[in-house]
Short mmCIF file of all heavy atoms in Angstrom, two decimals:
data_model
loop_
_atom_site.label_atom_id
_atom_site.label_comp_id
_atom_site.label_asym_id
_atom_site.label_seq_id
_atom_site.Cartn_x
_atom_site.Cartn_y
_atom_site.Cartn_z
N GLN A 22 30.55 39.74 27.13
CA GLN A 22 29.22 39.20 26.81
C GLN A 22 28.30 40.31 26.31
O GLN A 22 27.60 40.13 25.31
CB GLN A 22 28.62 38.54 28.05
CG GLN A 22 27.22 38.02 27.83
CD GLN A 22 26.56 37.56 29.12
OE1 GLN A 22 27.18 37.49 30.16
NE2 GLN A 22 25.28 37.27 29.04
N PHE A 36 27.62 38.91 11.68
CA PHE A 36 28.25 38.72 13.00
C PHE A 36 29.24 37.57 12.96
O PHE A 36 28.92 36.46 12.57
CB PHE A 36 27.18 38.47 14.05
CG PHE A 36 27.74 38.22 15.42
CD1 PHE A 36 28.41 39.22 16.09
CD2 PHE A 36 27.58 36.99 16.03
CE1 PHE A 36 28.93 39.01 17.36
CE2 PHE A 36 28.08 36.77 17.29
CZ PHE A 36 28.75 37.78 17.96
N ILE A 39 33.69 38.22 16.95
CA ILE A 39 35.03 38.72 17.25
C ILE A 39 35.02 39.38 18.63
O ILE A 39 34.13 40.17 18.95
CB ILE A 39 35.48 39.74 16.19
CG1 ILE A 39 35.55 39.04 14.82
CG2 ILE A 39 36.82 40.37 16.56
CD1 ILE A 39 35.78 39.98 13.67
N ARG A 81 9.71 37.10 32.44
CA ARG A 81 9.35 36.42 31.19
C ARG A 81 8.47 35.20 31.44
O ARG A 81 7.50 34.96 30.71
CB ARG A 81 10.62 36.00 30.45
CG ARG A 81 10.31 35.38 29.09
CD ARG A 81 11.55 35.03 28.32
NE ARG A 81 12.31 36.26 28.05
CZ ARG A 81 13.60 36.27 27.76
NH1 ARG A 81 14.28 35.15 27.71
NH2 ARG A 81 14.22 37.39 27.52
N HIS A 88 11.72 26.34 35.73
CA HIS A 88 11.52 25.34 34.68
C HIS A 88 12.16 25.77 33.37
O HIS A 88 12.44 24.95 32.52
CB HIS A 88 10.03 25.08 34.47
CG HIS A 88 9.36 24.55 35.69
ND1 HIS A 88 9.58 23.29 36.17
CD2 HIS A 88 8.49 25.14 36.55
CE1 HIS A 88 8.87 23.11 37.27
NE2 HIS A 88 8.20 24.23 37.53
#
Side-chain angles (χ1 to χ4, degrees):
Q22 177 189 352
F36 178 66
I39 298 171
R81 185 177 297 159
H88 299 290

